[in-house]
């Protein structure tokens, strides 16, 4: 039997209208490096670049902020991509043998990417025992003929077909069959052997009617389309890999499978060329790997460039990923840490120019994009304003900081520039500059912090569409590790051949997994931050504009407090380096606090106004006074049965027998408790049902199931002592008259500890408090009924608003909290949200999310949602992400459901665990190890690409066949539903939702709005996910909400 309740009829139409003005869900942009890239293209006229991926995604990049995104319907691997120069059109070849024509469509000043045409070639035939011939129809190479309306398709069978680009159909009567080429060859070269697949097609820059064709066997021919005959034959005998035609057409360069390349004269008088003028094996004489691609670029200053990938000695360096750059006598072997996908040079393509004069070399790797300046001696790398590899070391945590002060922003930028200074002789900038970013400058700056496995914290500019790297903080130098061995090996290999040069920043290998960053917290007003790691290390750092050499104070805190019967079986703590250490400009460590046992930090919070930092592990939590460098509080939260908490994440000694035994005990207890509960509640349930049956109610009143039955969790569950959240607040804890500093801690077993802190007050006009000890006294202890893990705790003032961050109120950066009315504390567990009054801690209101919706809470944060209809109206709401990937928004403090959206696939556990909310209704989550998906819950605050492209190709922009922003993208590259093929179109009078620009739009002043993330000011908790078998029922109800009316409406 289910319990039922009556609910009010209908919904308040005025409130529903207000919801539409406050809330709207959009997936706006994907930050980072595309996952699993497979193809590359560059348009030298428009200066835009395209990257295709194995999932069928197409990304086009220009100047920072200019981005276009598309996705093929069949999600096959993009094998090749080719721009039609200057036209904004892109031809893609997929590995399923289909061709697709994409077009950047302008519409009212903006542009977006559309798939216009597709062409499916005959599928590959089925192989059987009687036939071993390869498919004659599989396309191996594509060449866009210079006249712009045709494409040549080289196939596996050796034929070359021609395609009409306007209709994407094959041209009849223009196919070049292998037999026509064989007739032009000497008899002794034919000798019954097939030419093999077409490996390369190259066009003549000066004469578009000529095509250079290279076959796998090694034969090269120049085919004249006007005369329909072979003009010149180059008789190569080594298996061909790639071709390049020199700009004037007088020289052909071919690369081969044995690691050699050959130079052929294309302007000799004879139509039959038997031998190349030069053949070189750069890294011979021992066997070498194939040279996969080669480019020849000439220079006005003399000394042409030869650039090729591969060719390494097979035995010694066969596992290296290299691109070699040769100019005159200078050879540099660029050594990368991931596989080379493709590369191109940025050079002049104008017909009147005699020389290429390459400006830059762009190399697409499997994990990053590297651009080199070829006009500066030494060929230095050019810093990328976007496409930075977020996963250069695996991301372990993330946090977002909104409204960063301009002074802190400038100091971070300056520190980052000192980390990677550009050569004074370098005049080259980022070469991919196509398009125009139409988005206005963001009204406020946003920082995205990512913690990594190698102990680094990276700072990213998340204010706009392009995620730009600002600064990198490394904590490894503080500890004694084995990092130095790589440097010694590199020095020993400097004089060896080949002349390797390490390029790129992707480095997936960590010297010590204990360095991994678990939590970060940043105070944007004092430029202090906390970095907490896997081995129980907690670092307090302060930003400095000048390098310094100083020793770091080290302190230890025993969270077990001499409790008997517990032995730590996990990893050891890191050994700090002794003595003064040199620190570059940027964040420099002041204090290192080592938790004992050295378990991973699970929660951290910082209060710079009080000079305190709090941290928690699976054993307990502590408070440290970093101003006096002394401990304040250590509390053990272990249960007597928490044996697994002593083994640590890196331990390998867990007992399978013990785990099975505990699992059977939980099952047995669950059955027994269920029977007891059924017996005790049967009489009350029958009585309630009888009363319901006696009541006569009208048929038009809806009744809905109220809640599911939730089994309480056992008190002796493993890891019940894990500290999930910590929170500092100035509120009423002891009585309703006196308020003061407090610390709140929530654990995995549903316990909440509230401590009253005695913090000496700072003198008037001074921000530094006296050198007196801080004391902590336990004030309250709350145990949730179902023992669900506590995800977040926050205190609401008398107006129901969250308390401001440290220094916001004292520096008049936010409205002071209401200390007259009664405060309340909002406790969010995995199963429900509950508001308690303070200081009595009596329940005021609650919402049982698991009982109503069948899901569990994974992430929560308080966010400000500004109205698109009235600039002065905004609401502070609670945003929640569940284990099913849904995002729910609730009013505060009423906890009434407002909206909910499907955001992340429930199977994407890592994406759910990585989600972080911002203060203005946006969020980020990882859709791959290298990409953040950005989404917005706010109708007003949207960050999306708004850009245009100067295209000379004529088109009808009013064509009804173009799909505009109402057309949804079928699926993201990771399978999640999304919005349009970015960017949206816009008109001359933008809608109110975007009238302030595409960045984080101007919000009501910080004096009136100061929501904070509930788990800490900046950090986002990474939780253990348990996706159950309970399905999501659509029981969402739009209950009326009494809210203040906006004066303008």
């Amino acid at each position: 039997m289910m319990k039922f309740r009556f609910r009010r009829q209908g919904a308040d139409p005025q409130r529903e209208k207000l919801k539409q003005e406050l809330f709207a869900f959009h997936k706006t942009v994907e930050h980072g490096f595309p996952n699993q890239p497979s193809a590359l293209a560059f348009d030298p006229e428009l200066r835009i670049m395209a990257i295709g991926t194995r999932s069928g995604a197409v990304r086009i990049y220009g100047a920072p902020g200019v981005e276009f995104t598309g996705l093929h319907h069949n999600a096959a691997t993009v094998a090749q991509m080719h721009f039609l120069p200057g036209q904004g059109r892109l031809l893609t070849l997929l590995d399923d043998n289909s061709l697709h024509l994409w077009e950047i469509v302008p519409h009212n000043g903006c542009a977006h990417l559309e798939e216009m045409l597709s062409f499916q070639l005959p599928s590959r035939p089925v192989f059987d025992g009687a036939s071993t011939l390869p498919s004659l129809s599989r396309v191996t190479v594509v060449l866009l003929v210079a006249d712009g309306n045709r494409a040549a398709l080289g196939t596996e069978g050796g034929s070359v077909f021609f395609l009409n680009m306007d209709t994407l159909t094959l041209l009849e009567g223009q196919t070049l069959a292998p037999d026509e080429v064989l007739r032009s060859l000497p008899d002794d070269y034919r000798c019954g052997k097939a030419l093999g697949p077409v490996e390369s097609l190259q066009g003549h820059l000066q004469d578009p009617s000529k095509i250079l064709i290279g076959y796998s066997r090694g034969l090269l021919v120049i085919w004249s389309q006007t005369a329909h005959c072979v003009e010149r034959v180059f008789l190569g005998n080594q298996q061909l890999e790639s071709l390049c035609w020199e700009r004037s057409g007088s020289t052909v360069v071919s690369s081969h499978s044995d690691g050699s390349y050959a130079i052929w004269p294309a302007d000799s008088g004879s139509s039959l060329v038997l031998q190349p003028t030069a053949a070189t094996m750069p890294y011979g004489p021992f066997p070498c790997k194939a040279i996969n691609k080669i480019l020849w670029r000439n220079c006005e200053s003399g000394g042409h460039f030869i650039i090729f990938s591969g060719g390494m000695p097979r035995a010694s360096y066969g596992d290296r990923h290299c691109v070699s750059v040769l100019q005159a006598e200078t050879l540099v072997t660029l050594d990368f840490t991931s596989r080379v996908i493709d590369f191109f040079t940025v050079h002049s393509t104008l017909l009147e120019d005699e020389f290429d004069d390459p400006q830059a070399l762009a190399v697409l790797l499997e994990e990053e994009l590297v651009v080199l300046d070829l006009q500066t001696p030494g060929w230095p790398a050019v810093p990328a304003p976007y496409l930075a590899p977020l996963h250069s070391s695996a991301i372990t945590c993330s946090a977002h900081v909104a409204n960063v002060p301009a002074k802190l922003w400038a100091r971070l930028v300056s520190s980052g520039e000192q980390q990677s200074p550009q050569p004074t002789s370098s005049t080259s900038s980022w070469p991919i500059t196509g398009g125009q970013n139409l988005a206005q400058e963001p009204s406020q700056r946003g920082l995205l912090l990512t913690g990594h496995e190698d102990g680094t914290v990276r700072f990213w500019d998340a204010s706009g569409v392009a995620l730009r790297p600002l600064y990198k903080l490394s904590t490894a130098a503080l500890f004694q590790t084995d990092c130095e061995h790589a440097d010694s090996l590199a020095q020993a290999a400097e004089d060896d051949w080949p002349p390797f040069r390490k390029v790129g920043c992707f480095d997936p290998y960590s010297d010590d997994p204990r360095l991994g960053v678990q939590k970060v917290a940043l105070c944007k007003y004092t430029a202090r931050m906390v970095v907490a790691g896997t081995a129980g290390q907690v670092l307090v750092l302060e930003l400095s504009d000048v390098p310094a050499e100083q020793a770091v104070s080290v302190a230890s805190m025993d969270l077990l407090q001499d409790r008997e019967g517990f032995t730590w079986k996990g990893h050891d703590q890191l050994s700090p380096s002794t003595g003064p250490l040199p620190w570059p400009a940027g964040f420099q460590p002041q204090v290192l606090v080592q938790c004992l046992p050295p378990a991973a930090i699970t929660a951290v919070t910082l209060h710079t106004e009080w000079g305190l930092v709090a941290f928690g592990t699976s054993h307990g939590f502590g408070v440290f006074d970093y101003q006096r460098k002394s401990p304040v509080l250590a509390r053990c939260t272990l249960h007597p049965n928490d044996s697994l908490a002593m083994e640590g994440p890196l331990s390998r000694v867990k007992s399978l027998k013990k785990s099975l035994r505990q699992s059977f005990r939980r099952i047995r207890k669950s059955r027994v408790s269920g029977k007891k509960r059924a017996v005790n509640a049967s009489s009350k349930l029958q009585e309630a049902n009888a009363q319901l049956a006696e009541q006569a109610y009208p048929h038009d009143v809806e009744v809905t199931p109220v809640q599911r039955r939730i089994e309480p969790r056992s008190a002796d569950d493993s890891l019940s002592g894990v500290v999930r959240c910590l929170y500092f607040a100035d509120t009423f804890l002891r009585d309703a008259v006196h308020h003061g500093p407090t610390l709140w801690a929530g654990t995995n077993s549903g316990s909440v500890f509230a401590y009253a802190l005695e913090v000496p007050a700072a003198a008037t006009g001074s921000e530094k408090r006296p050198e007196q000890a801080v004391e902590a006294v336990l004030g309250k202890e709350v145990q949730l009924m179902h023992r669900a893990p506590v995800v977040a705790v926050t205190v609401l003032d008398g107006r129901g608003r969250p308390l401001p961050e440290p220094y916001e109120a004292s520096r008049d950066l936010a409205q002071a909290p209401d200390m007259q009315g009664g405060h309340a504390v909002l406790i969010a567990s995995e199963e429900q949200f509950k508001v308690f009054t303070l200081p009595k801690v009596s329940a005021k209101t609650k919402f049982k999310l698991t009982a109503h919706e069948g899901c569990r809470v994974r992430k929560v944060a308080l966010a400000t949602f500004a109205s698109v209809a009235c600039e002065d109206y905004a609401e502070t709401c609670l945003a929640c992400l569940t284990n099913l990937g849904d995002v729910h928004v609730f009013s505060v403090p009423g906890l009434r459901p407002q909206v909910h959206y499907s955001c992340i696939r429930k199977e994407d556990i890592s994406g759910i665990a990585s989600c972080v909310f911002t203060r203005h209704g946006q969020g980020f989550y990882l859709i791959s190890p290298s990409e953040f998906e950005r989404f917005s819950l706010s109708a007003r605050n949207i960050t999306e690409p708004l850009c245009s492209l100067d295209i000379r190709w004529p088109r009808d922009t009013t064509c009804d066949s173009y799909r505009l922003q109402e057309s949804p993208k079928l699926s993201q590259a990771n399978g999640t539903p999304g919005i349009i093929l970015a960017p949206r179109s816009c008109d001359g009078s933008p809608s109110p939702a975007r009238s302030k620009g595409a960045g984080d739009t101007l919000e009501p002043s910080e004096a009136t709005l100061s929501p904070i993330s509930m788990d800490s000011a900046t950090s986002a908790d990474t939780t253990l996910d348990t996706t159950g078998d309970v399905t999501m029922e659509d029981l969402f109800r739009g209950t009326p909400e009494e809210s203040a009316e906006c004066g303008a409406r």
Side-chain angles (χ1 to χ4, degrees):
M1 298 288 292
M2 280 191 175
K3 290 195 282 185
F4 290 87
R5 71 174 183 184
F6 296 102
R7 68 180 177 91
R8 293 177 58 179
Q9 287 182 273
D12 184 1
Q14 204 160 16
R15 179 60 192 173
E16 292 301 316
K17 180 183 177 183
L18 187 57
K19 286 182 185 179
Q20 295 178 3
E21 297 171 355
L22 292 172
F23 311 111
F25 180 75
H26 302 282
K27 288 186 179 180
T28 54
V29 67
E30 294 167 4
H31 295 301
F33 185 77
N35 188 41
Q36 297 182 324
S38 57
L40 177 70
F42 179 67
D43 187 334
E45 294 188 25
L46 296 179
R47 290 291 183 108
I48 56 177
M49 174 184 65
I51 296 178
T53 70
R54 294 186 195 173
S55 60
V58 176
R59 310 278 177 79
I60 298 180
Y61 302 92
V66 178
E67 295 185 14
F68 304 94
T69 304
L71 186 66
H72 291 90
H73 293 269
N74 47 1
T77 298
V78 180
Q80 295 182 38
M81 310 174 76
H82 302 272
F83 273 109
L84 280 71
Q87 300 180 16
R89 298 200 294 172
L90 178 71
L91 183 66
T92 60
L93 170 66
L94 305 187
D95 66 351
D96 65 355
N97 215 31
S98 63
L99 290 164
H100 303 260
L101 183 63
W102 297 80
E103 189 169 346
I104 298 175
V105 181
H107 182 76
N108 293 337
C110 292
H112 64 280
L113 185 64
E114 287 283 351
E115 181 181 350
M116 309 307 295
L117 297 170
S118 63
F119 175 69
Q120 179 69 54
L121 278 82
S123 59
R124 176 179 296 188
V126 178
F127 290 95
D128 53 27
S131 174
T132 58
L133 293 175
S135 168
L136 301 179
S137 58
R138 193 178 76 86
V139 177
T140 56
V141 63
V142 178
L143 169 68
L144 295 179
V145 183
D147 55 18
N149 62 351
R150 287 184 304 154
L153 310 179
T155 65
E156 198 173 52
S159 300
V160 178
F161 298 90
F162 290 89
L163 193 72
N164 186 329
M165 291 300 299
D166 294 331
T167 59
L168 223 59
T169 55
L170 290 177
L171 295 173
E172 298 292 339
Q174 297 192 24
T175 302
L176 172 61
D179 294 340
E180 296 185 56
V181 177
L182 286 170
R183 285 196 292 266
S184 304
L185 303 181
D187 294 337
D188 58 340
Y189 190 84
R190 280 185 246 174
C191 64
K193 291 184 179 179
L195 298 179
V198 178
E199 290 291 343
S200 182
L201 293 173
Q202 296 291 322
H204 195 297
L205 185 63
Q206 309 294 335
D207 188 355
S209 66
K210 295 181 181 180
I211 296 179
L212 177 63
I213 307 173
Y215 295 91
S216 177
R217 179 179 169 184
L219 176 71
L220 317 179
V221 299
I222 296 179
W223 175 261
S224 173
Q225 300 179 73
T226 53
H228 205 73
C229 67
V230 173
E231 280 195 358
R232 186 165 279 106
V233 176
F234 307 91
L235 297 180
N237 292 308
Q238 188 62 41
Q239 182 177 336
L240 182 70
E241 293 291 331
S242 72
L243 285 175
C244 181
W245 210 339
E246 186 261 338
R247 184 183 187 93
S248 64
S250 60
T251 304
V252 172
V253 184
S254 62
S255 68
H256 303 277
S257 60
D258 63 346
S260 66
Y261 67 84
I263 301 175
W264 304 81
D267 55 356
S268 63
S270 173
S271 62
L272 182 65
V273 181
L274 300 177
Q275 295 293 333
T277 56
T280 307
M281 186 180 291
Y283 299 108
F286 299 106
C288 296
K289 301 195 74 174
I291 294 181
N292 302 309
K293 180 177 179 178
I294 191 165
L295 296 178
W296 176 300
R297 300 287 182 255
N298 56 21
C299 302
E300 187 174 6
S301 59
H304 54 263
F305 279 93
I306 296 180
I307 306 170
F308 59 89
S309 61
M312 288 292 103
R314 188 176 295 274
S316 305
Y317 305 106
D319 58 343
R320 298 289 187 101
H321 311 289
C322 298
V323 171
S324 301
V325 183
L326 173 64
Q327 185 186 31
E329 300 300 323
T330 304
L331 172 64
V332 174
T333 308
L334 306 174
D335 188 12
F336 302 101
T337 54
S338 58
R339 186 169 60 91
V340 178
I341 304 297
D342 201 354
F343 58 92
F344 64 84
T345 58
V346 179
H347 61 276
S348 172
T349 56
L350 299 177
L351 293 177
E352 57 268 20
D353 289 345
E354 185 179 351
F355 300 97
D356 294 310
D357 286 328
Q359 306 165 17
L361 169 66
V363 184
L364 175 66
L365 307 162
E366 198 167 36
E367 305 293 352
E368 61 183 322
L369 177 75
V370 176
V371 176
L372 299 181
D373 178 7
L374 296 181
Q375 294 184 329
T376 301
W379 305 327
V382 180
Y386 50 81
L387 284 178
L390 303 174
H391 63 317
S392 52
S393 176
I395 296 177
T396 51
C397 67
S398 57
H400 185 269
V401 184
N403 302 327
V404 178
K407 183 177 180 181
L408 173 60
W409 191 271
R411 295 176 67 189
L412 285 173
V413 171
S414 174
S415 299
E417 291 174 347
Q418 294 182 50
Q419 285 183 332
S420 55
Q422 285 298 101
T424 54
S425 58
S426 176
T427 57
S428 177
S429 57
W430 185 248
I432 304 164
T433 57
Q436 182 181 2
N437 183 11
L438 302 180
Q440 298 181 9
E441 279 294 315
S443 59
Q444 59 93 15
R445 298 291 184 183
L447 271 179
L448 181 65
L449 311 181
T450 54
H452 298 265
E453 191 181 35
D454 62 353
T456 59
V457 178
R458 285 171 167 82
F459 293 65
W460 308 89
D461 178 4
S463 310
V465 171
L467 193 67
R468 183 169 62 97
L470 294 179
Y471 167 73
K472 182 178 79 170
L473 163 67
S474 178
T475 63
L478 183 60
F479 303 100
Q480 298 176 10
T481 61
D482 298 329
C483 321
E484 293 79 14
H485 74 282
D487 299 333
S488 60
L489 289 176
Q491 292 175 0
E494 277 185 359
D495 299 330
D496 290 348
W497 179 264
F500 287 117
R501 172 182 157 193
K502 283 285 185 184
V503 183
C505 61
F506 176 73
D507 184 11
Y509 307 107
S510 174
D511 296 297
D512 194 328
R514 296 175 296 173
L515 291 171
V517 177
Q518 295 296 320
K519 297 291 173 184
V520 292
L522 172 67
C523 176
K524 59 190 177 184
Y525 301 114
T526 60
R528 278 192 174 91
M529 74 177 300
V530 175
V531 178
T534 304
Q537 70 271 25
V538 180
L539 271 172
V540 181
L541 306 100
E542 187 174 5
L543 185 61
S544 174
D545 298 325
V546 295
E549 185 170 344
Q550 61 187 18
V552 178
S553 301
V554 180
S556 297
M557 291 190 67
D558 184 8
L559 299 182
L560 287 181
Q561 307 213 296
D562 301 326
R563 184 172 294 194
E564 297 180 356
F566 291 93
T567 304
W568 174 248
K569 303 174 185 177
H571 51 266
D572 295 331
Q573 68 185 63
L574 287 164
S575 300
S577 302
T578 57
L581 298 172
W583 301 103
F587 278 98
Q588 300 172 354
Q590 307 293 318
V591 182
L592 167 63
V593 184
Q594 179 62 56
C595 296
L596 298 176
I601 302 298
T602 57
V604 73
T605 187
L606 174 68
H607 202 293
T608 52
E609 203 164 356
W610 302 337
L612 300 177
V613 58
F615 42 84
T617 69
S618 55
H619 308 124
F621 59 91
V623 180
F624 189 82
D625 182 351
Y626 64 82
Q627 184 173 316
R628 297 184 68 249
K629 297 180 174 59
S630 62
V632 175
L633 166 68
R635 170 68 185 259
C636 181
T637 56
L638 280 179
H639 190 271
N641 291 337
D642 271 353
S643 57
L644 290 182
M646 303 308 297
E647 298 180 0
L650 304 180
S651 173
R652 295 292 182 268
V653 295
K654 294 185 179 180
S655 169
L656 177 62
K657 185 184 297 183
K658 184 185 299 182
S659 301
L660 290 173
R661 188 184 303 122
Q662 290 175 343
S663 299
F664 282 118
R665 283 177 180 173
R666 283 196 297 269
I667 294 173
R668 195 179 304 120
K669 287 183 179 180
S670 175
R671 289 173 177 172
V672 172
S673 61
K675 292 178 181 178
K676 290 180 179 178
R677 192 177 298 106
V679 172
N680 296 335
S682 59
S683 58
K684 293 183 179 180
L685 186 61
Q686 291 174 2
E687 182 181 350
N689 288 336
Q691 292 178 358
L692 264 177
E694 293 174 1
Q695 293 177 352
Y697 54 88
H699 295 286
D700 59 340
V701 177
E702 299 181 29
V703 291
T704 58
V706 176
Q707 55 183 304
R708 297 165 173 82
R709 189 181 73 175
I710 306 300
E711 292 287 347
R713 306 187 186 199
S714 173
D716 61 352
D717 276 352
S718 299
L719 301 177
S720 62
V722 175
V723 178
R724 294 287 294 274
C725 61
L726 292 163
Y727 176 70
F728 283 119
D730 184 358
T731 187
F732 301 90
L733 188 61
R734 294 174 174 171
D735 54 56
V737 178
H738 304 93
H739 63 87
T742 61
L743 170 71
W744 300 75
T747 72
N748 231 23
S749 61
S751 300
V752 178
F753 304 95
Y755 279 82
L757 304 175
E758 294 291 341
V759 181
T764 306
S766 173
E767 292 184 349
K768 192 171 183 179
R769 58 178 176 79
E771 293 291 330
Q772 298 176 9
V774 178
E775 297 180 358
V777 179
L778 181 62
K780 306 287 182 183
E781 186 172 342
V782 180
Q783 179 62 59
L784 301 182
M785 182 185 303
H786 288 103
R787 299 184 178 275
V790 178
V791 179
V793 177
T794 192
V795 172
L796 307 175
D797 68 4
R799 293 186 293 267
R801 294 178 177 174
L803 301 181
E805 293 183 17
Y807 285 111
E808 274 192 334
S810 60
R811 296 184 180 181
D812 295 329
L813 300 171
Q815 183 178 359
D818 182 4
M819 292 298 186
Q820 303 302 320
H823 282 199
V825 59
L826 170 59
I827 298 177
S829 73
E830 283 192 0
E831 295 180 358
Q832 67 178 7
F833 309 118
K834 202 164 187 178
V835 176
F836 298 88
T837 61
L838 289 177
K840 293 183 179 180
V841 194
S842 58
K844 184 178 180 182
T845 182
K846 64 181 176 181
F847 183 85
K848 297 181 179 180
L849 184 71
T850 303
H852 286 291
E853 308 288 2
C855 52
R856 296 189 185 277
V857 178
R858 286 292 172 259
K859 302 284 181 178
V860 288
L862 288 173
T864 297
F865 294 89
S867 170
V868 296
C870 178
E871 291 195 10
D872 297 329
Y873 182 77
E875 292 185 7
T876 299
C877 297
L878 177 69
C880 155
L881 176 68
T882 72
N883 66 320
L884 299 182
D886 299 330
V887 176
H888 297 250
V889 179
F890 299 88
S891 64
V892 174
L895 297 181
R896 297 181 182 272
Q898 301 302 302
V899 290
H900 74 267
Y901 308 102
S902 178
C903 181
I904 310 174
R905 292 180 298 115
K906 65 180 180 181
E907 298 84 6
D908 188 4
I909 297 176
S910 61
I912 294 173
S914 64
C915 181
V916 56
F917 290 104
T918 75
R919 292 181 55 175
H920 299 303
Q922 294 195 36
F924 302 83
Y925 69 92
L926 287 173
I927 56 175
S928 73
S930 60
E931 291 173 289
F932 273 109
E933 176 81 68
R934 187 172 191 148
F935 64 90
S936 175
L937 304 173
S938 170
R940 175 172 164 186
N941 186 16
I942 303 174
T943 302
E944 62 180 349
L946 292 175
C947 46
S948 64
L949 203 59
D950 185 14
I951 302 172
R952 60 175 171 82
W953 183 255
R955 59 173 58 79
D956 180 13
T957 58
T958 62
C959 179
D960 295 334
S961 64
Y962 295 156
R963 298 187 297 273
L964 301 181
Q965 68 262 28
E966 290 81 13
S967 299
K969 193 160 49 176
L970 292 182
S971 63
Q972 298 283 358
N974 67 329
T976 55
I979 58 167
I980 69 160
L981 305 175
R984 298 184 183 181
S985 58
C986 68
D987 52 38
S989 56
S991 65
R994 291 183 289 278
S995 59
K996 290 290 179 181
D1000 284 349
T1001 55
L1002 183 63
E1003 301 293 339
S1005 67
E1006 287 293 317
T1008 58
L1009 306 175
S1010 59
I1012 60 175
S1013 175
M1014 293 181 57
D1015 45 358
S1016 71
T1018 58
S1019 63
D1021 288 340
T1022 301
T1023 62
L1024 301 174
D1025 190 281
T1026 52
T1027 305
D1029 296 330
V1030 183
T1031 58
M1032 177 71 177
E1033 294 188 12
D1034 191 10
L1035 301 178
F1036 180 81
R1037 295 173 295 279
T1039 2
E1041 169 90 359
E1042 295 183 3
S1043 59
E1045 284 291 318
C1046 178
R1049 289 191 309 110

